[in-house]
Amino acid sequence: MKKYALAVMILLCSYFTAQSAVINGFSQEKQQLDKKINKAYELLNAKCSEKAEKQIEKQLKRLRKEYDIVSTKYFQTANLLFTFEYIDPELFAKVSKVTNANGTLTHVYVRYVNRSSEEFTYYTRNHFPANAYTGVRQALDDENVCTSLYGTNTITITIGIGCDEKLALAHEFAHVLYIVPNLKEYTYFMKYRNNNVKNVPSHGHSPNDPSFAFLKSVNKRFETNYSNYESKAKSKGLSEQNTSIKISDKE
């Protein structure tokens, strides 16, 4: 009987868990695949027939491919979240602590995906062209409670690869900060706004929208922090370049 060791990649820890209000949207999928791969290795190390062993190995091959795809999405999203928190820790902290009108913490799941993916094209087909989308609806039993594809007390942000993802995330975070505590009133406004306002642009982006001024202020503040971040990054790059030139001159 062959002996199989667990792959090192399976032992990678999740950076964002359910204990954090801002969560990597691919953490659950990654963890589920971890468990499935672990289980497959356990079965291979147990006594089984040659036929069963081949079937498990085939299953493992498929699971590894799925794991590679999900891991790529997971780490791309993780990198975005880490960088964003570094640029604007205050905004990140506010989103991490966002609560609804009942005072309940709402978890914010972030997914950074390819624009050609089914989950992103779903939004472009059913809503309007954008760089990112915030998905949320009211719970059936409480108008103040957010629900999304991750369940009760959650809200989902989906960002398309190919835009300035940091600016896009800041904008969606602004939506989250306004929508979550004002879900009941804002949902009412969105349902009946067309009765009073004509030719309204996409949600949250009209001067007639109650969230407009708030979104504008959050975006403006982040843009300032982002500009400072880029300036420092550029300055650091030039400094490193100058250092390398000096070393080269000495040689």
Side-chain angles (χ1 to χ4, degrees), residues 85 116 119 124 128 138 206 221 240 248:
E85 185 176 15
S116 62
E119 66 177 295
T124 56
F128 49 85
Q138 289 175 302
S206 165
R221 181 182 176 282
E240 290 176 348
S248 297

Side-chain angles (χ1 to χ4, degrees), residues 178-195:
Y178 186 86
I179 292 172
V180 172
N182 301 290
L183 182 65
K184 182 178 178 180
E185 295 79 6
Y186 194 62
T187 300
Y188 180 87
F189 168 78
M190 297 308 296
K191 283 182 178 179
Y192 301 104
R193 66 194 177 97
N194 288 329
N195 293 336

Side-chain angles (χ1 to χ4, degrees), residues 25-55:
F26 294 99
S27 59
Q28 290 184 4
E29 294 170 57
K30 182 176 174 295
Q31 290 168 3
Q32 289 170 358
L33 285 169
D34 282 343
K35 292 178 181 179
K36 289 180 180 179
I37 292 174
N38 271 313
K39 183 63 177 179
Y41 276 115
E42 289 176 4
L43 291 173
L44 282 175
N45 286 323
K47 292 182 179 181
C48 60
S49 65
E50 185 177 345
K51 181 179 179 181
E53 189 173 295
K54 287 182 179 180
Q55 289 177 338

Side-chain angles (χ1 to χ4, degrees), residues 1 10 24 26 42 55 64 68-69 73 86 99 103 110 129 131 148 208 233 235:
M1 176 64 65
I10 300 174
N24 189 317
F26 294 99
E42 289 176 4
Q55 289 177 338
R64 289 194 196 101
D68 287 342
I69 293 171
K73 295 177 180 178
Y86 179 81
T99 57
V110 179
N131 291 325
S148 72
N208 299 297
S235 177

Side-chain angles (χ1 to χ4, degrees), residues 95 97-102 104-108 134 136 143-146 153-155 173-186:
V95 178
K97 299 173 184 176
V98 66
T99 57
N100 61 26
N102 300 335
T104 305
L105 184 69
T106 297
H107 296 293
V108 183
T134 295
V136 64
E143 294 178 310
N144 292 319
V145 174
C146 295
N153 291 316
T154 71
I155 189 168
F173 272 174
H175 278 302
V176 167
L177 289 175
Y178 186 86
I179 292 172
V180 172
N182 301 290
L183 182 65
K184 182 178 178 180
E185 295 79 6
Y186 194 62

